[in-house]
Amino acid sequence: MSDPSLFLVCLSVHPRHPGMWKMLIVVMCVALLGCLQAQELQEHVSIILLGATGDLAKKYLWQGLFQLYLDEVGRGHSFSFHGAALTAPKQGQELMAKALESLSCPKDMAPSHCAEEKDQFLQLSRYRQLKTAEDYQALNKDIEAQLQHAGLREAGRIFYFSVPPFAYADIARNINSSCRPGPGAWLRVVLEKPFGHDHFSAQQLATELGSFFQEEEMYRVDHYLGKQAVAQILPFRDQNRKALDSLWNRHHVERVEIIMKETVDAEGRTSFYEEYGVIRDVLQNHLTEVLTLVAMELPLNVSSAEAVLRHKLQVFQALRGLQRGSAVVGQYQSYSEQVRRELQKPDSFHSLTPTFAAVLVHIDNLRWEGVPFILMSGKALDERVGYARILFKNQACCVQSEKHWAAAQSQCLPRQLIFHIGHGDLGSPAVLVSRNLFRPSLPSSWKEMEGPPGLRLFGSPLSDYYAYSPVQERDAHSVLLSHIFHGRKDSFITTENLLASWGFWTPLLESLAHKAPRLYPGGAENGRLLDFEFSSGRLFFSQQQPEQLVPGPGPAPMPSDFQVLRAKYRESPLVSAWSEELISKLANDIEATAVRAVRRFGQFHLALSGGSSPVALFQQLATAHYGFPWAHTHLWLVDERCVPYYNIHPMPVHLQQRLCAEEDQGAQIYAREISALVANSSFDLVLLGMGADGHTASLFPQSPTGLDGEQLVVLTTSPSQPHRRMSLSLPLINRAKKVAVLVMGRMKREITALVSRVGYEPKKWPISGVLPHSGQLVWYMDYDAFLA
């Protein structure tokens, strides 16, 4: 009430007035109060939908605005709706009218009433072109004129940015300079994701928007926060504090799964997907927001937006940094072909963009220490479903057989709590609580549900759960538009939380930038190909990539049909792929070998070959493998050209101011160093190449030096400059625990084909003498070298 003193006037009637006069005064006071109240409620809100003819507006936003109108207009609020875009007025009006044709009313509304409300909403909705600063000035004048003509007081304006982020700055500048509401009225600016591409770009965008708008004026939409099951997480935890307080921690929770699976692929959206991929599209925002709601400390007052946002930020501060081993990524097989077609890429183009990702997250605080949080999403999977599943530990052991277990009593049944976000076999939002946990309390807007007979969810029949669903389902954007209208900030992303999220995800994204994702066929055919496991803070696929040269019946495959394949070459394992994927695979294998060696022996001895082929590998190892145990790694050289070299522990080719002089005994010095530091002179891994003449290291055809005998390191002669070389001998190479031979490029086609047919003839082809005595030999060849 704007004037509380009016109550005092109405109540303080002088005692000398007769009863009739007193009654008249009271009636007048009530009438006056009613007028003032009606005047106060008749406040006008202008809603401007930018991008009004776009896909999001047609699918969700116009319907959400219509629902907001239905909810609020009966409470005395006045509205005008302005659909805006760059399109010229006539064409824009036609497109907007087409979008408004699909508006629908709640199921319980009478058809005649629905038609009446739709007609009124359409009369309040106008299209206008917003392209120039003058257009925004004209919009502002029209709103002010409308208010003056109707005698309304302006409550505020909502600008909904359903446009690409590159357009934000110009629109923001025009709103700030020409279209802010007058004194006493609020401004709310609504922004749709993506909010940047990484931490740096998000910071730039935040700074730019911050120069035009106050933090309290900005509402960043993550539509997952409007999903009814997601919006119920905090209220559910609050209403069930008594039951959950003792369970919601590392002592009782085995793991948390936050999942969003899709059956559709990225066709038609590959330009967006090539830039963002599944982690930026889903995990960094939707699933991370769900994680914070599950993991955050519960405020005393969950209705306090400030407290909720502060507690969510504390979760980000406790997140353990992600390593490359924290994730597994995949890509459905037809994706690269779709990209080539939609973006006019050459036939040789192969995308490294993941369409599937699973990430292992840990929270380093007292409540969650050691509890794995699994975030997973993907396209072209076997079902469409989203959920957050809290799986509780169970140490119970039941004596009676399973057929005698009672759902409400048996402690041996799985104990889990699921916020079922939507779709799947249930087909609707739901909250599920195992009956052997506790009977939950939910608000009156949720009801107990019954599913189809025989329905099983997460290993148990639906009857094993207390199951609840919303009395009335609402679209996420409708929910969020209502929160925006009422100024509820807890359902939106603040600048601080946004940057904290990007700070968490950006290092992982950078480490995966050149990693070849695992290919999967899509849908039910994926089988167990994408199943993964976790151990010691790392995720890994449960199954190796299928070892299949020809992908099923049909026409003969083209080289572009192959990805990473496994076969045999000279009776040893062969890994083949396009060059980028091959380098990524080899780098991963080297890192895995290093981690195992350090774990077992405390150090890793790696002997590296020269030449041009491994340069990309060295770059990959140096810049993208943050988990590599470099501090415990000894680097050795397989061979050395006799030129001055001043990097780590080089071969001693430059002694007494001479290059590779036999009398300086550089080979013997290096051999002694190896014998002293490398146990049994057995390297953990030796990386070799193969020359077009069949040489390897600096061991050349028609030269017996270093092919046999006792010497560990030898001086050799190369047919090309520089002629004098130093090299590990074949006997020393064959002592290694693992030897990897990297062969790349079309220049190697002939020698690859030739060596595949020869036996053990190191004097003709030194590479044929590489046969580790007790270690493993693995060939890594790109398709240019292998398939010709």
Side-chain angles (χ1 to χ4, degrees):
M1 191 60 58
S2 60
D3 188 3
S5 63
L6 197 57
F7 282 106
L8 301 176
V9 174
C10 292
L11 293 175
S12 61
V13 180
H14 198 278
R16 289 179 299 175
H17 293 313
M20 185 65 71
W21 180 243
K22 182 176 180 180
M23 185 178 295
L24 182 60
I25 290 289
V26 170
V27 169
M28 290 174 62
C29 287
V30 169
L32 182 57
L33 288 170
C35 291
L36 289 173
Q37 186 178 37
Q39 184 180 10
E40 184 177 36
L41 288 176
Q42 278 295 323
E43 293 187 335
H44 188 79
V45 176
S46 303
I47 300 179
I48 301 93
L49 175 55
L50 298 139
T53 58
D55 193 50
L56 182 66
K58 287 186 284 186
K59 284 183 177 178
Y60 300 110
L61 298 182
W62 279 118
Q63 180 62 44
L65 291 173
F66 181 48
Q67 185 63 53
L68 177 68
Y69 169 77
L70 294 176
D71 292 342
E72 302 297 338
V73 73
R75 298 170 186 168
H77 296 298
S78 168
F79 290 94
S80 60
F81 300 91
H82 305 266
L86 299 176
T87 312
K90 184 179 179 182
Q91 184 185 1
Q93 183 62 49
E94 292 172 356
L95 291 170
M96 194 176 103
K98 192 171 183 181
L100 292 173
E101 288 174 2
S102 60
L103 295 179
S104 61
C105 297
K107 293 178 182 177
D108 57 356
M109 184 179 284
S112 58
H113 186 203
C114 175
E116 188 178 311
E117 295 287 5
K118 281 178 67 173
D119 184 61
Q120 184 63 30
F121 181 79
L122 293 175
Q123 289 183 37
L124 296 173
S125 303
R126 293 284 182 271
Y127 176 82
R128 63 189 310 132
Q129 185 181 34
L130 286 182
K131 197 172 183 179
T132 65
E134 290 74 23
D135 292 334
Y136 286 85
Q137 292 165 9
L139 170 63
N140 186 59
K141 287 179 182 176
D142 288 352
I143 293 173
E144 290 177 347
Q146 181 184 4
L147 291 166
Q148 188 174 5
H149 181 263
L152 298 170
R153 176 181 175 276
E154 184 168 30
R157 299 179 189 180
I158 297 173
F159 284 86
Y160 201 116
F161 286 42
S162 181
V163 295
F166 66 76
Y168 284 3
D170 283 343
I171 295 172
R173 186 178 296 105
N174 284 319
I175 293 171
N176 186 54
S177 62
S178 309
C179 222
R180 278 185 170 272
W186 45 256
L187 171 67
R188 291 173 189 154
V189 175
V190 188
L191 307 164
E192 280 277 353
K193 80 174 184 75
F195 313 121
H197 186 266
D198 52 21
H199 187 267
F200 178 72
S201 59
Q203 178 70 70
Q204 281 187 312
L205 185 59
T207 301
E208 197 165 37
L209 290 171
S211 65
F212 301 116
F213 305 125
Q214 300 297 317
E215 179 66 28
E216 61 269 19
E217 294 176 328
M218 291 186 283
Y219 290 71
R220 292 184 184 85
V221 168
D222 184 325
H223 78 272
Y224 244 54
L225 291 175
K227 300 276 188 182
Q228 286 171 288
V230 175
Q232 188 56 220
I233 293 175
L234 285 188
F236 180 90
R237 291 180 58 192
D238 184 44
Q239 283 190 256
N240 295 277
R241 281 181 192 256
K242 187 175 180 181
L244 287 175
D245 270 353
S246 61
L247 294 173
W248 210 253
N249 56 58
R250 69 185 190 276
H251 301 298
H252 296 281
V253 175
E254 181 180 310
R255 70 172 182 266
V256 177
E257 300 171 0
I258 304 172
I259 308 297
M260 177 184 166
K261 296 170 69 176
E262 296 183 275
T263 54
V264 298
D265 61 19
E267 188 166 16
R269 295 184 69 224
T270 57
S271 60
F272 170 84
Y273 232 72
E274 271 301 276
E275 186 174 359
Y276 289 94
V278 68
I279 295 178
R280 290 180 174 91
D281 186 34
V282 178
L283 279 76
Q284 179 271 328
N285 37 71
H286 303 329
L287 303 194
T288 301
E289 286 300 312
V290 176
L291 180 147
T292 61
L293 294 173
V294 171
M296 65 185 271
E297 294 298 316
L298 206 55
L300 290 174
N301 179 11
V302 296
S303 300
S304 165
E306 182 184 353
V308 168
L309 293 169
R310 185 174 66 251
H311 282 71
K312 286 174 72 172
L313 185 61
Q314 289 170 359
V315 176
F316 285 113
Q317 293 165 348
L319 290 174
R320 185 185 302 172
L322 294 173
Q323 308 273 333
R324 194 161 91 146
S326 304
V328 290
V329 292
Q331 182 191 98
Y332 63 83
Q333 285 177 342
S334 60
Y335 177 77
S336 282
E337 190 277 325
Q338 289 173 346
V339 175
R340 288 193 291 270
R341 183 177 68 250
E342 293 181 15
L343 305 184
Q344 287 81 51
K345 297 284 187 179
D347 292 343
S348 60
F349 174 81
H350 286 269
S351 174
L352 295 179
T353 300
T355 60
F356 166 87
V359 179
L360 176 62
V361 176
H362 280 99
I363 302 172
D364 291 330
N365 61 21
L366 287 175
R367 183 179 294 276
W368 296 113
E369 184 183 4
V371 177
F373 283 71
I374 306 294
L375 277 58
M376 185 268 279
S377 184
K379 290 190 174 293
L381 300 181
D382 61 325
E383 63 175 339
R384 182 185 184 191
V385 69
Y387 58 86
R389 178 190 183 210
I390 296 89
L391 183 65
F392 293 91
K393 296 176 183 177
N394 197 351
Q395 281 88 35
C397 185
C398 297
V399 175
Q400 284 190 298
S401 63
E402 187 176 349
K403 62 186 176 184
H404 297 298
W405 292 356
Q409 299 168 358
S410 175
Q411 290 303 304
C412 286
L413 287 166
R415 304 198 305 161
Q416 46 197 337
L417 194 165
I418 298 116
F419 297 98
H420 192 273
I421 298 167
H423 306 291
D425 292 332
L426 271 181
S428 66
V431 175
L432 309 170
V433 181
S434 294
R435 287 182 179 270
N436 58 355
L437 271 174
F438 61 91
R439 175 182 277 277
S441 172
L442 276 94
S444 59
S445 56
W446 288 68
K447 66 181 190 302
E448 289 200 57
M449 66 179 297
E450 293 182 7
L455 176 63
R456 293 182 67 86
L457 295 165
F458 306 100
S460 300
L462 186 61
S463 58
D464 282 2
Y465 299 97
Y466 295 111
Y468 299 83
S469 62
V471 172
Q472 181 182 1
E473 286 191 42
R474 294 195 62 179
D475 170 68
H477 281 90
S478 295
V479 172
L480 293 176
L481 280 164
S482 175
H483 291 182
I484 294 163
F485 180 80
H486 290 287
R488 282 187 52 183
K489 291 284 286 184
D490 53 317
S491 298
F492 301 91
I493 316 300
T494 64
T495 299
E496 197 171 15
N497 282 29
L498 171 69
L499 296 178
S501 178
W502 274 121
F504 174 66
W505 285 101
T506 296
L508 177 70
L509 289 163
E510 290 175 347
S511 73
L512 293 173
H514 302 293
K515 179 181 173 68
R518 165 169 290 197
L519 292 182
Y520 59 96
E525 294 180 26
N526 293 335
R528 297 192 59 236
L529 192 61
L530 295 178
D531 289 357
F532 55 88
E533 302 171 23
F534 52 90
S535 176
S536 302
R538 298 173 69 88
L539 272 186
F540 50 90
F541 284 118
S542 302
Q543 289 189 342
Q544 292 292 318
Q545 194 90 12
E547 298 181 9
Q548 183 176 336
L549 288 178
V550 181
M558 298 296 290
S560 60
D561 295 325
F562 291 95
Q563 293 295 329
V564 176
L565 59 84
R566 287 171 177 77
K568 294 283 186 180
Y569 181 83
R570 291 181 55 81
E571 300 183 358
S572 291
L574 165 72
V575 178
S576 189
W578 296 111
S579 56
E580 286 187 3
E581 297 162 283
L582 184 71
I583 290 297
S584 179
K585 170 62 179 165
L586 177 52
N588 288 341
D589 289 352
I590 292 175
E591 181 177 355
T593 303
V595 169
R596 283 195 299 270
V598 170
R599 191 178 297 143
R600 289 187 63 192
F601 307 111
Q603 53 190 0
F604 174 54
H605 289 281
L606 172 63
L608 297 174
S609 182
S612 58
S613 292
V615 170
L617 171 67
F618 300 155
Q619 290 174 337
Q620 176 93 349
L621 284 172
T623 60
H625 283 253
Y626 302 112
F628 200 99
W630 293 114
H632 303 283
T633 298
H634 290 262
L635 294 178
W636 302 86
L637 302 184
V638 168
D639 63 329
E640 180 65 289
R641 302 174 184 212
C642 291
V643 293
Y645 194 98
Y646 302 105
N647 271 342
I648 349 176
H649 305 298
M651 284 182 161
V653 296
H654 191 224
L655 298 173
Q656 307 294 329
Q657 297 184 342
R658 295 180 292 192
L659 288 176
C660 290
E662 286 190 25
E663 53 269 33
D664 293 333
Q665 296 191 326
Q668 291 88 328
I669 292 172
Y670 204 56
R672 286 197 295 272
E673 191 175 355
I674 291 170
S675 298
L677 295 177
V678 182
N680 301 318
S681 300
S682 175
F683 291 106
D684 295 303
L685 191 148
V686 174
L687 175 66
L688 299 175
M690 178 170 69
D693 58 354
H695 84 265
T696 190
S698 284
L699 305 172
F700 298 96
Q702 312 302 329
S703 171
T705 311
L707 300 179
D708 51 24
E710 303 262 331
Q711 281 187 276
L712 302 183
V713 185
V714 294
L715 293 175
T716 65
T717 303
S718 165
S720 59
Q721 290 281 357
H723 298 298
R724 294 291 286 165
R725 307 282 180 95
M726 187 180 290
S727 177
L728 302 189
S729 69
L730 204 52
L732 177 58
I733 289 170
N734 286 333
R735 290 188 192 181
K737 298 181 181 73
K738 182 173 181 178
V739 177
V741 183
L742 177 62
V743 186
M744 298 175 64
R746 298 188 177 191
M747 297 290 290
K748 304 293 176 68
R749 288 177 178 179
E750 290 187 15
I751 191 63
T752 299
L754 175 64
V755 169
S756 69
R757 300 191 294 268
V758 305
Y760 180 81
E761 299 186 61
K763 291 187 177 180
K764 291 185 179 179
W765 299 284
I767 191 68
S768 70
V770 177
L771 294 168
H773 304 314
S774 56
Q776 183 188 30
L777 170 63
V778 181
W779 297 81
Y780 293 81
M781 295 187 185
D782 71 356
Y783 290 142
D784 282 334
F786 178 58
L787 295 178

